Amino acid sequence: MSSTIQIRVDDDLKRKSDRLFRDLGTDTTSAIRIFLTQAVANNGFPFEIKRNSVDMSAFTTMSEDEMLEKLSAAREHSAQGKQREAAAVISDMRSKYGL
């Protein structure tokens, strides 16, 4: 006997996961079956789940218009030569957020 599980996911997520699993030689249904089998075998999630140590609220509370304004400003700054090397930015982020 078998049961059916129905889930709703975003169309883009479904397309991307279908493509990924097809490239891995399987399909999304089989991948979900593998996940459930491993969850039962591990008596929990078959991977680590933890909270992100970085405060993402500044990004999640932005509206689309606010995000587009920030992107536009960033493009203007870049065009004006107001930019930094990636290594310096990464170093600052590691220091600031403890990464």
Side-chain angles (χ1 to χ4, degrees):
M1 174 178 228
S2 64
S3 298
T4 301
I5 298 174
Q6 293 182 344
I7 59 170
R8 293 194 182 279
V9 295
D10 179 76
D11 289 338
D12 189 48
L13 176 61
K14 174 75 165 76
R15 274 192 299 278
K16 288 178 180 178
S17 64
D18 285 345
R19 188 177 323 120
L20 169 67
F21 296 129
R22 185 174 49 250
D23 289 347
L24 293 171
T26 190
D27 56 52
T28 302
T29 299
S30 296
I32 293 169
R33 214 177 276 119
I34 291 167
F35 167 79
L36 294 174
T37 301
Q38 286 300 303
V40 170
N42 285 283
N43 200 28
F45 283 97
F47 46 80
E48 182 179 6
I49 297 178
K50 60 183 179 180
R51 290 180 183 240
N52 192 342
S53 61
V54 177
D55 180 13
M56 299 299 287
S57 63
F59 301 104
T60 56
T61 59
M62 256 190 261
S63 70
E64 182 178 353
D65 288 338
E66 290 170 321
M67 181 66 80
L68 291 174
E69 286 175 26
K70 288 189 179 290
L71 287 170
S72 178
R75 287 187 188 104
E76 288 177 26
H77 288 165
S78 179
Q80 296 168 0
K82 299 178 183 176
Q83 55 198 26
R84 298 176 55 209
E85 291 294 321
V89 174
I90 291 168
S91 176
D92 288 350
M93 288 175 66
R94 286 188 173 138
S95 296
K96 183 175 180 178
Y97 298 108
L99 301 174

